Amino acid sequence: MAEQFQSAIDSSVDKTNLILKDIEQAYGWPKAQRNQSYAALRTVLHLLRDRMPVQESVEFSAQLPMVVRGIYFDGWQPQDVPIKLNRDDFLYEVRQGFPYDVAGGPERIVQVVLDTLRRHITQGEWDDVRDNMPADLAKIMP
């Protein structure tokens, strides 16, 4: 049993590092900037989570690696969702939650993180996530 647990943890850490590495590669950041890729992932995940209805949020999270799922649910207040955010509100909140200045600003951060997440989520689930976003925000989703 302990081996299964360790294997599950190791696999989740590997998958999480792959997601963070994908973000870093999109920006050309070295691994030394892992805090930036983590902050970008966390910020966008929390905004997606809070924008979706509870059931859809839970379904989406089921496809995330265990470590990323923990990040996703950290601080979640399901009784307060979904929060109505249009594209401009979403980008404003990304800027507030991501303390680094990067090329392309908040819109590029969102695009990089969403592109990365899209590669790790089934098409059907991604379509469901997109369908839960306002039209102006869904337009920037892959």
Side-chain angles (χ1 to χ4, degrees):
M1 187 65 134
E3 286 180 21
Q4 287 178 320
F5 173 74
Q6 188 62 47
S7 178
I9 295 295
D10 290 345
S11 175
S12 181
V13 168
D14 290 345
K15 289 174 183 176
T16 300
N17 281 324
L18 180 61
I19 290 170
L20 294 171
K21 184 178 176 183
D22 286 351
I23 293 168
E24 290 158 5
Q25 286 180 335
Y27 267 106
W29 294 336
K31 187 177 180 181
Q33 288 181 274
R34 182 61 46 105
N35 284 341
Q36 284 183 212
S37 55
Y38 168 76
L41 177 64
R42 179 183 171 88
T43 299
V44 173
L45 277 175
H46 283 186
L47 288 166
L48 277 179
R49 173 200 72 193
D50 291 346
R51 181 62 187 86
M52 289 189 278
V54 171
Q55 185 62 37
E56 185 54 42
S57 191
V58 171
E59 291 171 11
F60 170 73
S61 74
Q63 295 194 14
L64 299 172
M66 187 181 347
V67 172
V68 177
R69 196 174 319 133
I71 295 165
Y72 183 78
F73 283 119
D74 184 42
W76 191 38
Q77 300 293 320
Q79 70 275 8
D80 296 337
V81 300
I83 296 172
K84 301 296 181 192
L85 295 172
N86 63 29
R87 178 185 174 277
D88 291 340
D89 295 336
F90 195 93
L91 294 174
Y92 174 81
E93 292 299 327
V94 168
R95 185 68 202 125
Q96 298 308 302
F98 184 77
Y100 304 95
D101 288 322
V102 295
E107 188 162 346
R108 176 77 174 128
I109 293 164
V110 171
Q111 289 172 335
V112 165
V113 172
L114 293 179
D115 285 344
T116 298
L117 289 172
R118 172 59 202 100
R119 290 191 298 272
H120 298 273
I121 303 297
T122 64
Q123 184 63 49
E125 186 56 43
W126 194 253
D127 291 344
D128 290 347
V129 170
R130 192 179 319 117
D131 289 347
N132 278 282
M133 297 298 135
D136 63 342
L137 183 56
K139 286 180 186 176
I140 66 172
M141 296 181 74

